[in-house]
Amino acid sequence: AGHPARASLMACTIARALEVDKNEYQAIYYAGLLHDIVYVGIKNKPLLEQMGILEQNPSPEVLEEMHPVIGSTMLEPIHLLEGAIPIIRAHHERFDGGGALKLKGEAIPLGARILCLVETVEELRMMGLIGNDLQQRAITEARNASGTRFDPSVVNLFAELAVQEEKFWI
C-alpha cells in the first residue's frame, strides 16, 4: 500500500534536484504513479488476449520481466501520459545495458534511471526495513550497484538527498 505515491514522491524529489524541465517532471510524476499498472492488467484476461500476450503463454517469471513493456503498452492510448510511457517502458533497464530492452547509459530515459533506483528502495521497504535501517541499506545498495544497475549521477544525488530530505522517507 502506498507504493505508487512513495515512488512518485521520491522520483520527483530527485528530478527536482536535477532541475528537470516542467514536462519531464510531469512525466516522471505520472511514471512514478503508474509504473506498475500492469499488475491490474495481468489479472485481466481479455486485455492480455487483446495485446497478444496470452498467445505466447508466458510463465509468471516472463510476465514479471515483460511488465514494463506490457504496462507502457496499456497506457499508450492516453495522450496525457505520452512522456511517461518511455520511462515506464525502461524503468527496469540497467545502466550497463543488461536490461530486457538492452538500453545502456544515457540511452535510458532519465526518469527511468531514477525510477529504477527508487524501485530498489521500495523493494527494501516491502521487505520490512524502516527508518535508519532502510536509509542506510538503500544508500549501500545504490552505491554497490552504481555504474552497473544504476546511473552513478543518480546514485550520488540519491545518497545526498537521502540524508538531507526528511520527506524522502515518508
Side-chain angles (χ1 to χ4, degrees), residues 8-115:
S8 186
L9 173 67
M10 191 175 289
C12 285
T13 300
I14 295 169
R16 191 176 312 109
L18 289 170
E19 299 179 351
V20 300
D21 68 34
K22 179 184 171 190
N23 290 335
E24 188 164 12
Y25 183 86
Q26 183 178 18
I28 291 169
Y29 170 76
Y30 286 126
L33 289 175
L34 297 169
H35 67 280
D36 283 339
I37 191 73
V38 71
Y39 294 115
V40 173
I42 283 181
K43 295 188 181 349
N44 185 330
K45 191 173 180 179
L47 176 65
L48 294 178
E49 286 173 349
Q50 181 182 8
M51 294 175 70
I53 292 166
L54 289 183
E55 295 169 11
Q56 301 166 22
N57 196 22
S59 68
E61 294 81 22
V62 170
L63 274 176
E64 175 61 28
E65 183 179 315
M66 293 173 54
H67 100 258
V69 173
I70 299 168
S72 60
T73 302
M74 288 170 56
L75 298 170
E76 282 177 352
I78 305 170
H79 181 69
L80 174 70
L81 301 175
E82 190 173 75
I85 290 170
I87 296 170
I88 294 168
R89 183 171 283 124
H91 81 274
H92 277 209
E93 292 301 293
R94 294 173 50 97
F95 193 73
D96 64 5
L101 301 176
K102 304 296 181 216
L103 298 176
K104 183 177 183 178
E106 302 281 321
I108 303 167
L110 175 60
R113 288 180 271 146
I114 293 169
L115 199 52

